[in-house]
């Protein structure tokens, strides 16, 4: 696999970022350099007994209701709100 | 003045929390316009807390600066980002803030940082540069650069930071203060705005090792709100801190003293190690053979986790929302494009790429396996030694602006701090003299002390011994 194939504009779209042309140009070369370094991982001879790092969570707390933030605290930072709810643009396309 | 000294002065009736905080505000007004460590500070709120301070508590009336990615009720929490600037007020206290308050401390000031903790120089803050108090043309390190610079500048007695790949230890080293990253899971991350959840830890930046122990004591422990916290007893970190290093086995890994280290850094660190040996420590050569792969591993795992964590910044519930979007998808795109700075975008794209279909196993799964190898290296090493000593960073603080177009160069400089985050072990930076570098004299050098999981007590003990030494 070669890092030369990174399509910065396409990956940015997946990440919901609307890059400018100038950003695409700068990030393309920077990300290629970073991926070039990262690809040194491909050359490591991994021992057969190694598994991916153990990043399991500890015990989960009991699945019981407990106090959470009141609605007015949650709405405190909402960019737009109406009727005690967060207002967003229409999410369903016209038929 | 240290926290311990300030507390003693309170108890002796020599000063009061209100006086100390008012004096601190004067210091901030006088020096911080130049240093730029603080994003804001609410003097009225702090004085109100000071008036009711309970001096019988371990941190009673002590003001502590807070990195701007830790939620503190009714205070801003911008994470150094335009996405949250003036658009977000914390509706709750992070667990560490709750614990600090329960111990009597007064959170005072929001400390500048690299945007969402992504950076090693505090140059990625959307708002301002923070300058190194030892040389204002130089970086303070990062991402907790505001916290470190304020402690070094005398405008904070102590501060909290967060460390994902060295973001407490490296700025502590560059600013000549003490910085402590606890074992992963020792301190709750609830209320810390997440960057890379399997690597992030909150910890103190202080003027002395005793102060670091004092703050760690207050914030450590299991938290039901963070399922990655360890349900292990919290020892008394001060109990054995003065026992010295006689018989303590200190590991020295050749991989941390190779090419690329500034000669002055090497000389100071090696000299300090010889001094500890003179006090009775036993020096043991060890090997951490996968160290060279740590940066590459980190720059897969950390951006991958960041790209997922930062998906919450979508312009819906809080923060920046673009005006007049065409539809909901356009709202996401525009809000994020306008809200995030270049380093954050770069890492989100990198993380999205390594997690994307067809690349996940090649990058992410492989990086997790190399992470396991790095963890295994430390496990083997700590069978033979109690702590590992090294430099914190290969060079002292560089000049502001020296790496702006070449992010990889800054990434590579984190080689000595990143492995501890990957392995989840604790690490500290302790001042280790000064050296000349790149046209400047007297730039601080940091000694790094690494310890096994939950080995903070031994780490602090070695740090205290090292702190008491001066270079020949």
């Amino acid at each position: 696999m070669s890092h030369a194939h990174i399509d910065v504009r396409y990956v940015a779209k997946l990440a919901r970022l609307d890059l400018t042309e100038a950003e695409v140009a700068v990030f393309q070369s920077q990300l290629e350099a970073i991926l070039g370094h990262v690809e040194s991982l491909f050359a490591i001879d991994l021992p057969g007994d190694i598994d991916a790092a153990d990043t399991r969570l500890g015990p989960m707390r009991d699945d019981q209701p407990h106090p959470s933030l009141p609605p007015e605290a949650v709405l405190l930072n909402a960019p737009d709100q109406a009727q005690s709810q967060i207002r967003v643009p229409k999410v369903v396309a016209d038929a | 003045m240290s926290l311990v000294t300030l507390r003693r002065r309170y108890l002796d009736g020599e000063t009061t929390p209100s006086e100390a905080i008012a004096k601190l505000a004067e210091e901030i007004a006088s020096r911080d316009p130049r240093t730029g460590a603080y994003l804001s500070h609410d003097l009225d709120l702090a004085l109100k807390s000071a008036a009711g301070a309970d001096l019988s508590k371990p941190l009673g009336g002590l003001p502590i600066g807070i990195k701007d990615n830790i939620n503190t009720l009714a205070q801003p929490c911008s994470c150094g980002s335009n996405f949250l600037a003036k658009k977000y007020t914390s509706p709750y206290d992070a667990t560490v803030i709750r614990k600090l308050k329960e111990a009597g401390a007064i959170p005072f000031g929001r400390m500048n940082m690299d945007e969402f903790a992504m950076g090693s120089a505090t140059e990625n803050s959307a708002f301002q540069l923070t300058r190194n108090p030892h040389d204002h043309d130089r970086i303070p390190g990062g991402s907790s650069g505001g916290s470190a610079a304020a402690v070094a500048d005398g405008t904070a007695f102590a501060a909290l930071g967060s460390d994902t790949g060295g973001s407490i230890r490296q700025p502590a080293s560059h600013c000549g203060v003490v910085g402590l990253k606890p074992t992963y899971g020792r301190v709750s991350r609830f209320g810390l705005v997440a960057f890379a959840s399997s690597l992030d830890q909150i910890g103190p930046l202080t003027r002395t090792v005793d102060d670091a122990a004092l703050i760690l004591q207050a914030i450590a422990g299991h938290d039901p709100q963070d399922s990655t916290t360890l349900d292990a007893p919290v020892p008394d970190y001060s109990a054995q801190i003065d026992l010295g290093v006689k018989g303590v086995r200190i590991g020295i890994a050749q991989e941390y003293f190779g090419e690329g280290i500034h000669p002055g850094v090497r000389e100071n660190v090696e000299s300090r190690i010889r001094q500890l040996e003179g006090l009775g420590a036993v020096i043991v050569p060890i090997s951490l053979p996968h160290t060279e792969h740590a940066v590459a591993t980190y720059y897969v795992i950390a951006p991958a986790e960041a790209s997922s964590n930062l998906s919450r910044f979508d312009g819906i519930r809080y923060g920046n929302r673009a005006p007049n979007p065409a539809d909901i998808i356009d709202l996401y795109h525009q809000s994020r494009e306008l809200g995030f700075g270049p380093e954050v975008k770069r890492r989100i794209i990198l993380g999205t790429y390594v997690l994307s279909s067809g690349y996940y196993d090649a990058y992410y799964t492989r990086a997790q396996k190399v992470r396991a190898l790095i963890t295994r290296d430390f496990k083997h090493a700590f069978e033979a030694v109690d702590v590992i000593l090294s430099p914190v960073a290969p060079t002292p603080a560089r000049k502001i602006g020296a790496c702006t177009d070449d992010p990889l160069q800054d990434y590579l400089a984190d080689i000595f701090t990143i492995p501890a985050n990957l392995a989840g072990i604790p690490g500290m930076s302790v001042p280790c003299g000064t050296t000349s570098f790149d046209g400047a004299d007297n730039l601080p050098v940091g000694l790094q002390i690494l310890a096994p999981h939950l080995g903070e007590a031994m780490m602090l003990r070695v740090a205290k011994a090292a702190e008491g030494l001066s270079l020949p």
Side-chain angles (χ1 to χ4, degrees), chain B residues 187-439:
Chain B
V187 172
S188 170
R189 293 178 293 109
F190 178 72
L192 169 70
V193 178
F195 161 17
S197 303
S198 77
L199 303 162
D200 298 339
Q201 270 292 287
I202 295 171
L205 293 104
T206 57
R207 294 184 195 168
T208 67
V209 173
D210 282 329
D211 283 1
L214 192 64
I215 293 181
L216 181 63
Q217 197 74 51
I219 62 176
H222 180 249
D223 177 15
Q225 302 273 48
D226 174 1
S227 65
T228 62
T229 50
L230 300 164
D231 197 0
V234 178
D236 180 348
Y237 290 118
S238 299
Q240 301 187 342
I241 203 165
D242 290 313
L243 286 185
V245 289
K246 193 167 170 47
V248 171
R249 299 167 301 167
I250 292 177
I252 305 298
Q254 77 227 6
E255 293 85 356
Y256 282 64
F257 290 87
E259 284 174 30
I261 298 183
H262 178 263
V265 172
R266 178 198 298 275
E267 194 180 311
N268 283 15
V269 170
E270 287 181 345
S271 171
R272 185 57 48 90
I273 290 166
R274 280 194 301 275
Q275 287 177 310
L276 290 167
E277 188 177 24
L279 292 175
V282 180
I283 306 301
V284 182
I286 58 164
S287 179
L288 298 164
H290 295 94
T291 302
E292 63 173 309
H293 303 302
V295 174
T297 303
Y298 179 87
Y299 277 97
V300 173
I301 293 170
E305 294 184 11
S307 72
S308 173
N309 275 325
L310 269 63
S311 66
R312 76 192 56 185
F313 298 103
D314 54 10
I316 301 298
R317 291 154 297 166
Y318 38 69
N320 189 55
R321 182 183 286 194
N324 310 315
D327 55 29
I328 189 80
I329 300 295
D330 190 41
L331 183 152
Y332 299 149
H333 279 257
Q334 280 198 50
S335 301
R336 288 161 66 80
E337 170 63 15
L338 296 171
F340 292 146
E343 182 63 27
V344 173
K345 289 177 189 170
R346 198 154 42 227
R347 295 206 200 186
I348 288 175
I349 293 168
L350 183 57
T352 304
Y353 178 74
V354 300
L355 291 178
S356 61
S357 177
Y359 296 90
Y360 183 96
D361 277 338
Y363 286 100
Y364 190 71
T365 306
R366 191 163 189 89
Q368 286 288 21
K369 287 184 177 176
V370 180
R371 180 182 190 173
L373 285 179
I374 290 167
T375 307
R376 188 189 275 186
D377 282 354
F378 280 113
K379 206 170 165 211
H380 287 162
F382 283 122
E383 286 168 5
V385 300
D386 299 306
V387 293
I388 297 168
L389 300 191
S390 76
V392 175
T395 70
R398 65 164 170 79
K399 285 182 178 156
I400 289 168
C403 273
T404 308
D405 295 328
D406 190 358
L408 183 58
Q409 286 313 307
D410 259 9
Y411 295 177
L412 292 170
D414 292 339
I415 178 71
F416 302 144
T417 49
I418 280 174
N421 299 81
L422 292 171
I425 59 171
M428 262 184 101
S429 176
V430 183
C432 186
T434 59
T435 191
S436 303
F437 172 59
D438 192 19

